[in-house]
Structures are given as structure tokens and as C-alpha cells.
Amino acid sequence: MHSVGMKRRLVAYLFDMMVLMGILMLIYYFLPESHNITVLNQEFDHVNDLLFSNNISFGSYLTRVASIMQELDKERILYSLINAVYIIVYFVIIPFKTKKTFGMYLMGLKYESKDGKFSVDDLLVRSMITCGLLYLLASLVLIYVLPSIAYFLTNIIFAIIQISLVVISFFMVLYRKDHRGLQDLWSRTVITRDKK
């Protein structure tokens, strides 16, 4: 059982991301946006203007931005929940039943388990790395738990971790002989050609 190379996987992944973004944009179009989001965005612009005109210290700027960002995330909590549910349905539940996403179907690919025990947990691990689910779930859990500055800094740390995992996995798939990334190794899965 040998994993397929980068080109097919990348095309399938990009197609899946386009489907994800398209459906989420459609859902968000029909969700009403809170007036508070507009006010918070204006406040964010005002704080940035204060920093660039040297009318605020960097410490004060950071404190105010952290508070604004946490409030924005609270206002957008429904969007984040929908995003998380959609990722879990599209990248975990459907592939658990079919062993593929729609992008993988178009590219003639499927998931296989290295140990013969394909599970939802395996697909959750993959999604934590490749779909931003780690960052999204961490944000959802911490938004009401941490004070604004701690939440803001923790979000930055999780964003860096998430981006690093994706970049490391990309280069692993590109340069390893077996074309397996972190998501493949940690989930004990492999993407192969679907011979059906």
C-alpha cells in the first residue's frame, strides 16, 4: 500500500477547499451579520490609526486589539460552529462512510488504513492537521475561558502551530519516498488510487 504523490492529492485538496469555501460563503450569505461586527471593525480601524499616528503605546494597542478580536470572535461564534460542523461532516463523516471526499472521488483517490482499522478518530486527526480544525476547535473552546489578551496570544500560537503542521506535511508528502505527511503518519492512513 503506497501513498500517491503530491499532484493528485493537491488537486483533490484544492477542489475540496473550494467546495468548503463555496458552501460556507453561501451559508454565511444567508446568516444575518450583527451590527456589533461593523462597530468592532470600525473600532479596530480606529485603534490601528492611533498606533500609526503614534497616539497610543504598543502595549495599549495590543490590549485593545486583543479585546476587539475576542469580541469579534464571540460575535462570529455561529459562523465558527457551522465551519467546524461542516469540516467534520465533509472531511470526517462522509469519508468514513465512502473512504473519500468529493475531490478525491474526482481524482480517483481513496483513504486506506495502514493497520486495517479505519476509524472516525483517524479522519479527525487528519482534519486537525489539514483543514484547520485544530485551530478552530481551540478557538471555540478558549473564547469564553480566557481573558482577552491570553485568548489573543493563544490564538496566535495555535495559528502558528496550524500553519506549521500544514507546511511540514506538505514537504513530507513532497519529499518522502512513501509520500506520507504528518496527517498520514499520525492517523495511520494513506491515500491511494481507487481502483474501482
Side-chain angles (χ1 to χ4, degrees):
M1 184 182 334
H2 190 71
S3 185
V4 296
M6 177 57 79
K7 289 179 187 175
R8 281 183 170 274
R9 289 175 72 160
L10 185 59
V11 171
Y13 180 75
L14 291 174
F15 184 80
D16 285 334
M17 287 297 120
M18 287 191 303
V19 169
L20 173 72
M21 293 314 221
I23 290 175
L24 288 176
M25 285 172 60
L26 188 64
I27 291 170
Y28 296 162
Y29 178 78
F30 291 105
L31 287 176
E33 186 171 284
S34 165
H35 175 69
N36 292 343
I37 292 175
T38 304
V39 171
L40 288 165
N41 281 325
Q42 289 170 348
E43 188 178 338
F44 180 72
D45 291 341
H46 175 69
V47 172
N48 281 331
D49 290 342
L50 289 175
L51 178 69
F52 292 126
S53 62
N54 293 321
N55 290 326
I56 191 173
S57 70
F58 185 73
S60 295
Y61 170 79
L62 188 60
T63 302
R64 288 178 70 178
V65 165
S67 177
I68 292 167
M69 296 310 280
Q70 187 176 34
E71 289 304 312
L72 274 170
D73 285 352
K74 284 179 182 178
E75 289 291 330
R76 294 180 178 141
I77 195 85
L78 181 59
Y79 298 101
S80 297
L81 286 169
I82 290 170
N83 194 357
V85 168
Y86 182 77
I87 288 172
I88 290 168
V89 168
Y90 189 84
F91 290 99
V92 177
I93 295 171
I94 291 172
F96 179 68
K97 299 288 186 190
T98 64
K99 298 205 176 193
K100 60 188 86 170
T101 62
F102 193 59
M104 292 171 72
Y105 171 79
L106 291 177
M107 294 308 297
L109 304 174
K110 68 176 181 175
Y111 290 120
E112 287 189 41
S113 176
K114 286 294 263 186
D115 60 11
K117 299 174 185 172
F118 196 65
S119 73
V120 169
D121 293 344
D122 295 334
L123 294 167
L124 270 173
V125 169
R126 292 187 70 87
S127 296
M128 293 280 188
I129 296 169
T130 60
C131 301
L133 194 58
L134 173 67
Y135 172 79
L136 187 57
L137 292 178
S139 295
L140 286 169
V141 168
L142 299 175
I143 193 167
Y144 293 105
V145 175
L146 296 177
S148 60
I149 194 74
Y151 172 76
F152 181 70
L153 295 174
T154 303
N155 257 6
I156 291 172
I157 291 167
F158 271 105
I160 292 168
I161 291 169
Q162 185 73 66
I163 292 166
S164 299
L165 290 173
V166 170
V167 170
I168 290 167
S169 292
F170 175 81
F171 284 106
M172 287 176 71
V173 171
L174 195 59
Y175 291 112
R176 280 178 58 114
K177 287 183 181 180
D178 63 359
H179 303 293
R180 296 181 75 209
L182 290 175
Q183 71 277 12
D184 302 308
L185 298 172
W186 290 351
S187 67
R188 301 175 320 277
T189 58
V190 64
I191 295 178
T192 63
R193 294 216 182 199
D194 189 2
K195 302 199 172 25
K196 292 180 184 178

